[in-house]
């Protein structure tokens, strides 16, 4: 039986990172920080969704490359995520660009960042689109940049957690075209992770969904307790239960 996907819990406060086996921290949190922080295995997020959705734009690539190099000395940095451009309809309205333009910018950013960062740091490329075949088209645009069995992020799916079938369709389209790719699902909550198809097709996922839930009930949206509860809930969710819940 396939093991569950690796889960990286999203944290707003890096000082709590050492409490977790795996976590994701955004460059938006770290860019003004000066001191190192204790952490185990982790992902560095480019902060793309916040930066593009608020209109401030990506950090200059050379600056981001420098930040990646600087923070790579903390813990085991498993990957730094490239600066992608999401393709949700409301994001396209904000940028005034097309999905294809966002896809090409995403590849350009990945290519430039990869050239700027030392080779022992893994830069995670991101597949973008909205409809399943748009992700397939993006694979073709990347061409040989996506080498066999690469660990690749799947963007523009976090707003579809309430509709797991839509996420399934995207992942299935990608894996049909490139079954070798190891997929990371950005921002996938328990609702989506209950799907046996999502569970089967992902190598890994992340979520900071616990923070919103804590805020809604008047809890600490930045502290570690809610994050621990979320990690435990994801860990303890049996695969068989996910299958039953989809029947």
């Amino acid at each position: 039986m396939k093991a569950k996907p690796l889960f990286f819990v999203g944290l707003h406060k890096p000082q709590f990172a050492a409490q977790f086996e795996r976590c994701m921290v955004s460059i938006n949190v770290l860019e003004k920080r000066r001191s190192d922080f204790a952490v185990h295995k982790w992902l560095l997020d480019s902060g793309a969704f916040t930066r593009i959705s608020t209109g401030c734009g990506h950090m200059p690539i050379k600056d981001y490359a420098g930040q990646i190099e600087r923070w790579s000395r903390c813990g085991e940095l498993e990957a730094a995520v490239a600066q992608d451009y999401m393709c949700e309809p409301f994001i396209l309205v904000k940028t005034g660009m097309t999905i294809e333009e966002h896809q090409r910018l995403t590849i350009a950013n990945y290519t430039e960042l990869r050239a700027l960062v030392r080779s022992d740091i893994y830069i995670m490329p991101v597949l973008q689109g909205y409809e399943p075949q748009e992700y397939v088209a993006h694979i073709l645009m990347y061409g040989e940049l996506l080498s066999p069995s690469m660990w690749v992020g799947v963007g523009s799916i976090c707003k579809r957690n309430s509709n797991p079938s839509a996420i399934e369709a995207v992942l299935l389209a990608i894996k049909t075209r490139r079954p070798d790719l190891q997929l990371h699902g950005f921002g996938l909550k328990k609702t989506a992770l209950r799907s046996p198809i999502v569970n089967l097709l992902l190598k890994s996922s992340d979520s900071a969904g616990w923070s919103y839930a804590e805020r809604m009930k008047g809890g600490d949206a930045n502290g570690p307790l809610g994050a621990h509860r979320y990690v435990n809930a994801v860990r303890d969710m049996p695969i068989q239960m996910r299958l039953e819940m989809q029947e």
Side-chain angles (χ1 to χ4, degrees):
M1 181 180 293
K2 177 186 176 294
K4 294 180 183 179
L6 302 174
F7 181 69
F8 294 79
V9 64
L11 298 177
H12 304 306
K13 299 289 186 179
Q15 59 263 41
F16 301 129
Q19 297 185 27
F20 300 89
E21 181 182 4
R22 294 181 180 86
C23 67
M24 173 177 269
V25 181
S26 172
I27 193 60
N28 297 340
V29 171
L30 294 175
E31 64 175 323
K32 295 182 180 180
R33 185 182 176 92
R34 295 292 176 264
S35 59
D36 288 355
F37 64 99
V39 62
H40 300 292
K41 296 179 179 180
W42 69 293
L43 302 179
L44 176 60
D45 185 51
S46 69
F49 188 86
T50 298
R51 289 177 176 272
I52 301 302
S53 64
T54 58
C56 67
H58 284 305
M59 176 185 295
I61 292 181
K62 288 185 179 180
D63 292 349
Y64 184 44
Q67 290 283 322
I68 293 171
E69 297 268 4
R70 186 262 178 270
W71 297 112
S72 68
R73 70 191 189 199
C74 296
E76 297 181 49
L77 178 61
E78 299 213 306
V81 181
Q83 295 169 304
D84 59 313
Y85 281 78
M86 302 76 63
C87 294
E88 291 94 343
F90 79 97
I91 294 291
L92 298 177
V93 171
K94 285 181 176 290
T95 65
M97 291 187 282
T98 66
I99 285 178
E100 183 176 346
E101 288 173 319
H102 277 210
Q103 291 172 324
R104 294 195 181 282
L105 284 170
T106 295
I107 294 174
N109 282 356
Y110 168 72
T111 304
E112 184 174 353
L113 186 63
R114 179 62 277 166
L116 290 169
V117 176
R118 69 177 193 267
S119 61
D120 63 312
I121 299 175
Y122 186 70
I123 303 300
M124 181 185 287
V126 181
L127 290 173
Q128 279 293 355
Y130 198 74
E131 298 300 331
Q133 290 307 307
E134 291 166 345
Y135 290 86
V136 174
H138 204 201
I139 290 173
L140 298 177
M141 288 183 198
Y142 269 103
E144 294 182 356
L145 289 172
L146 297 183
S147 58
S149 301
M150 281 190 80
W151 190 17
V152 177
V154 182
S156 300
I157 55 175
C158 66
K159 295 300 183 183
R160 292 183 268 186
N161 274 290
S162 61
N163 184 14
S165 62
I167 298 173
E168 292 169 1
V170 168
L171 299 180
L172 283 167
I174 293 169
K175 293 292 273 187
T176 298
R177 182 70 192 190
R178 285 288 303 270
D180 60 297
L181 294 179
Q182 301 183 74
L183 305 182
H184 177 87
F186 292 115
L188 292 187
K189 299 178 183 178
K190 291 180 289 183
T191 309
L193 294 177
R194 289 190 180 102
S195 159
I197 296 175
V198 171
N199 182 78
L200 177 66
L201 298 181
L202 289 179
K203 168 190 169 71
S204 57
S205 68
D206 70 82
S207 177
W210 64 271
S211 180
Y212 177 78
E214 288 294 316
R215 185 163 61 250
M216 290 300 97
K217 66 181 184 182
D220 185 351
N222 295 311
L225 294 181
H228 278 295
R229 283 192 289 267
Y230 201 89
V231 169
N232 291 339
V234 171
R235 181 198 64 203
D236 295 338
M237 189 184 298
I239 293 176
Q240 182 60 38
M241 182 181 79
R242 298 181 192 191
L243 288 166
E244 292 171 352
M245 293 181 72
Q246 291 296 311
E247 292 175 353

